[in-house]
């Protein structure tokens, strides 16, 4: 029989692969200024430090590191991670599971919770990769309305009453793709609604430490009474995405289901990578490293905002206090997907906003990343975009 | 609302976690002789070499290694891996995907292919972890009959005609848990049946290189005409399981679906780990390393077989030519689950065979691993088991 007769699983019917990752391939051309992607700056990647730590951990615990590990995590890391997470959140957490990047945290949480057709509430726009994850679990995605500071609790409550969702997926701090940060008051309200109605919150918070202005706010998890909030964290933005180390923290019963799911997903997260991050925590190397990252990223963000201030009237954009992204809305007559082709011809790339929208549309929007370009590239690239937009008006 | 009201996903209804991994925790007690698990011997884990290679790759390509990578794989590894796989198999393969341990290859293949209720044919007994994976995809598992050398093609064809399965999952070489190796003739026949009826074969071959006697046989993939056979490989047994590097090779369309599935599973396999294995391939370090592993493991296997020869009449066992496991059948009156408690009291552990059986039962069987014990531990442990069995007869 010819292989063209093969039928793939139903879960792929509405999924064709992450558009953002396809864009990555196009922009790999030399000389391209990329405001696409969410990559850390090369300067921020501590290759020498990781090499030193790899040598250290392999010399001290090499046999255990190269052997099979427990699905629950590499024991020293499990210990340092739990106390790190509790420090970060300001509350104790019943359980923590190290995972292969926080993308895996989302995958395992979906595996633990979702049957096909279950309703999941999402921000609109939201992180593409996790929207794809939800689609592969055949979730019924329902967008919740937002204003300038993020999710609207009134609309959230209405959607909860109407759809009885299993899960809310939210990125409350320096959101991807908008850069918005939810206020403390709304975070408390979300935690209350989740506990009142019985809905799991997946609080995805990978950008938390990348704050260049303003004051830290408590997590949604901080206001959780009965354990309905699961906190998803990552070391991708503050150490290295290539190491693939993240975690999920919260209720022990849910973590247990995630652990059983992980047994047949990848058995355990690579020990060497867990051991390296463990050393970052034990040696308290993160505060200084994060301080130096934030210094550079803050300059780049302000630079990009300065250029946006010079864009034509009718272009609106967010003013984040941290993170990696700025969100822009062009006049409705301009299609950011079409504009991208012209920008790429002039060696500038970004991600059109429509790809982040669960309901499509929003063709006049785009996401700009500032972390992975030099100040000079930001100047050149933003001038190109300004030109292109001027000529479309 | 109390969290006890939370309903987990249906896919967990028949899955409670891998019994084998629970046994691992019990046997972590000091002084335990463990014939459970499938761990490489500590001697076989090249901690110094991995440390050297980690330094090398981080010095030469550190920024790229610590950055986000392509889901398709770290480019240098993708290249060296493809030629390695083609060398191994003796045929060209259209596509290869590096994955986070070959367990992930199985997970992604199931994600690409299986809807709930789809029939999957399995060996009986078979590898626990992948049986659990299949259960989490809510597959209908149908065991195929075997004889002393493995799967019976006649029964396979009958089951194909009756159940129209989507997939056959098989470990043809030094099978886990039986140690059996399928003959070349049956491999060809399986490939023919898969191509004739249109059934995907997941050929899981992690033990292939651990041969201590006899001659290498071609893979099932070697006899594949139209691309129905997907080959799952691993570096866990020949370099390190803790690094979590495996691969899946075969049809490009199927690999593409697995890649899309992987985007929202863990984005990509950790670059550092791929780069280390890449160096093993580029520097041609594997042949010598495998030779030294096989020397030690062969001695241990023969030692364990010598002791089994002294066991009471009525105890049957396989005589593998390689791999990590020997399978034993006790007189039917002996329950190997109950016997395990007594063995553990005397500091010896194994895995009862019933856990490997898709249809349960087979309570008089057990799996013995020889790779992770010293010759002295094999002597002591096998004498304890002989004692215990003698006293049960």
């Amino acid at each position: 029989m010819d292989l063209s007769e093969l039928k793939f699983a139903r879960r792929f019917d509405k999924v064709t692969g992450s558009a953002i990752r396809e864009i990555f391939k196009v922009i790999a051309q030399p000389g391209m200024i990329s405001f696409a992607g969410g990559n850390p700056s090369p300067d921020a990647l501590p290759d020498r430090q990781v090499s030193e730590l790899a040598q250290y951990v392999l010399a001290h615990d090499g046999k255990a590191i190269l052997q099979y590990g427990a699905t629950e995590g590499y024991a020293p890391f499990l210990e340092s991670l739990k106390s790190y997470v509790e420090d970060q959140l300001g509350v104790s957490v019943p359980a923590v599971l190290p995972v292969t990047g926080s993308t895996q945290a989302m995958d395992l949480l979906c595996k633990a919770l979702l049957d096909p057709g279950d309703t999941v509430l999402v921000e609109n726009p939201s992180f593409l990769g996790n929207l794809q994850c939800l689609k592969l679990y055949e979730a019924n995605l329902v967008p919740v309305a937002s204003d300038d500071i993020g999710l609207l609790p009134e609309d959230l409550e209405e959607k909860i009453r109407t759809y009885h969702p299993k899960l809310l997926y939210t990125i409350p701090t320096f959101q991807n793709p908008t850069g918005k940060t939810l206020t403390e008051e709304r975070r408390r309200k979300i935690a209350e609604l989740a506990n009142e109605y019985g809905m799991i919150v997946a609080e995805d918070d990978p950008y938390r430490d990348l704050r260049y202005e303003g004051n830290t706010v408590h997590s949604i998890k901080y206001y959780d009474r009965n354990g309905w909030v699961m906190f998803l964290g990552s070391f991708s933005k503050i150490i290295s995405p290539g190491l693939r180390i993240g975690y999920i923290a919260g209720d022990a019963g849910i973590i247990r289901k995630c652990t059983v799911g992980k047994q047949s997903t990848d058995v355990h997260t690579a020990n060497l990578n867990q051991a390296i991050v463990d050393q970052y925590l034990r040696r308290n190397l993160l505060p200084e490293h994060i301080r130096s990252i934030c210094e550079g990223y803050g300059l780049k963000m302000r630079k990009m905002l300065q250029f946006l201030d010079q864009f034509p009237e009718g272009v609106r954009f967010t003013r984040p206090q941290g993170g990696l992204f700025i969100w822009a809305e062009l006049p409705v007559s301009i299609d950011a997907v079409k504009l991208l082709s012209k920008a790429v011809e002039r060696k500038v790339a970004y991600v059109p906003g429509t790809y982040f929208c669960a309901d499509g549309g929003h063709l006049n929007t785009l996401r700009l990343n500032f972390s992975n370009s030099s100040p000079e590239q930001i100047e050149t690239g933003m001038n190109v975009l300004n030109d292109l937009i001027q000529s479309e008006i």
Side-chain angles (χ1 to χ4, degrees), chain A residues 166-213:
Chain A
K166 196 70 173 276
L167 184 69
L168 164 67
Y169 172 63
T170 177
I171 310 164
T173 317
F174 316 132
Q175 201 245 11
N176 179 2
T178 64
K180 293 175 187 175
T181 294
L182 209 59
T183 57
E184 189 113 8
E185 196 189 326
R186 288 200 190 169
R187 289 169 188 239
R188 185 170 51 228
K189 184 66 187 169
I190 290 174
E192 282 168 13
L193 290 171
N195 277 275
E196 183 182 344
Y197 290 98
M199 168 188 72
I200 297 289
V201 177
E203 181 180 20
D204 187 12
D205 215 17
Y207 311 108
R208 178 174 192 78
D209 292 308
L210 302 181
R211 174 175 285 280
Y212 324 129
E213 289 164 20

Side-chain angles (χ1 to χ4, degrees), chain A residues 12-182:
Chain A
F12 277 90
D13 288 353
K14 289 177 185 170
V15 171
T16 53
S18 162
I20 205 173
R21 295 194 73 80
E22 298 306 315
I23 289 175
F24 282 176
K25 289 180 201 166
V26 178
I27 63 172
Q29 300 164 18
M32 186 69 68
I33 294 175
S34 175
F35 303 141
N39 288 15
S41 167
D43 316 338
L45 297 169
D47 49 348
R48 281 185 212 165
Q49 204 168 36
V50 167
S51 179
E52 259 178 59
L53 296 175
Q55 283 174 63
Y56 176 85
V57 299
L58 284 165
H60 284 76
D61 201 20
K63 294 291 183 191
I65 284 169
L66 296 185
Q67 191 54 278
Y68 278 112
T71 308
E72 288 80 357
Y74 176 64
F77 183 47
L78 203 48
E79 184 185 78
S80 63
L81 179 64
K82 188 158 188 292
S83 88
Y84 167 79
V85 173
E86 293 183 337
D87 264 15
Q88 285 273 307
L89 299 186
V91 288
S92 69
V93 289
V96 182
L97 177 68
V99 291
T100 310
S102 70
T103 289
Q104 192 185 54
M106 188 67 186
D107 184 55
L108 294 176
L109 196 58
C110 290
K111 190 177 258 191
L113 295 176
L114 298 183
D115 286 318
D118 279 353
T119 293
V120 176
L121 302 183
V122 294
E123 290 161 343
N124 194 33
S126 186
F127 170 45
L128 201 49
N130 283 348
L131 292 180
Q132 178 170 316
C133 178
L134 289 164
K135 285 178 192 165
L136 279 173
Y137 281 94
E138 298 170 83
N140 170 37
L141 299 186
V142 174
V144 181
S146 290
D147 63 11
D148 282 351
I149 53 173
L151 276 186
L152 280 165
E154 299 71 28
D155 191 56
L156 177 60
E157 182 158 12
E158 199 188 306
K159 297 280 163 63
I160 294 176
R161 285 169 182 264
T162 311
Y163 295 100
H164 309 287
K166 196 70 173 276
L167 184 69
L168 164 67
Y169 172 63
T170 177
I171 310 164
T173 317
F174 316 132
Q175 201 245 11
N176 179 2
T178 64
K180 293 175 187 175
T181 294
L182 209 59

